[in-house]
């Protein structure tokens, strides 16, 4: 249990630490960086398509991204829990026979 709390603390510290080191930095996503790099290489580049819907603000975009990540993590956690439960159940039924 102490080991898990230690690792949790480390993960939280790694997430918060950059915010204090670079106080006025702008933390952008990879999409904007990729577009800037491509247009630097090829000035005539035009995107193949545009977004169907653009979130009204960066906060909503971040919220939707976090929600997507949470749903994905929940699904993965459920799947692994289900598989572990089935394995334990099979082991118990196999041992009782």
């Amino acid at each position: 249990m102490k080991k898990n709390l230690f690792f949790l603390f480390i993960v939280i510290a790694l997430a918060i630490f950059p915010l204090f080191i670079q106080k006025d930095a702008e933390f952008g996503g990879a999409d904007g960086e990729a577009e800037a790099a491509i247009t630097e290489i090829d000035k005539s580049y035009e995107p193949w398509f545009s977004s169907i819907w653009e979130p009204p603000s960066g906060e909503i975009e971040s919220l939707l991204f976090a929600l997507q990540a949470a749903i994905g993590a929940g699904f993965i956690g459920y799947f692994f829990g289900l598989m572990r439960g089935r394995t334990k159940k099979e082991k118990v039924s196999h041992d009782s026979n």
Side-chain angles (χ1 to χ4, degrees):
M1 181 71 172
K2 287 183 181 182
K3 187 177 182 181
N4 290 343
L5 289 175
F6 174 73
F7 284 127
L8 179 64
F9 174 76
I10 294 295
V11 168
I12 291 171
L14 286 173
I16 294 174
F17 186 68
L19 300 175
F20 290 109
I21 298 298
Q22 300 289 332
K23 290 184 181 183
D24 295 330
E26 187 175 316
F27 295 99
D31 295 341
E33 295 293 323
E35 185 177 349
I38 290 169
T39 52
E40 187 176 309
I41 294 169
D42 182 8
K43 304 288 185 209
S44 64
Y45 170 76
E46 296 218 9
W48 296 350
F49 59 91
S50 61
S51 298
I52 296 172
W53 177 72
E54 189 74 28
S57 70
E59 291 83 10
I60 293 176
E61 186 175 0
S62 295
L63 171 71
L64 293 173
F65 183 76
L67 181 62
Q68 176 186 359
I71 291 170
F75 177 77
I76 290 170
Y78 174 79
F79 176 77
F80 281 114
L82 182 68
M83 291 296 112
R84 184 172 182 188
R86 284 184 182 173
T87 304
K88 280 186 175 184
K89 184 178 177 182
E90 289 173 5
K91 184 179 179 185
V92 167
S93 67
H94 181 67
D95 289 343
S96 64
N97 289 337

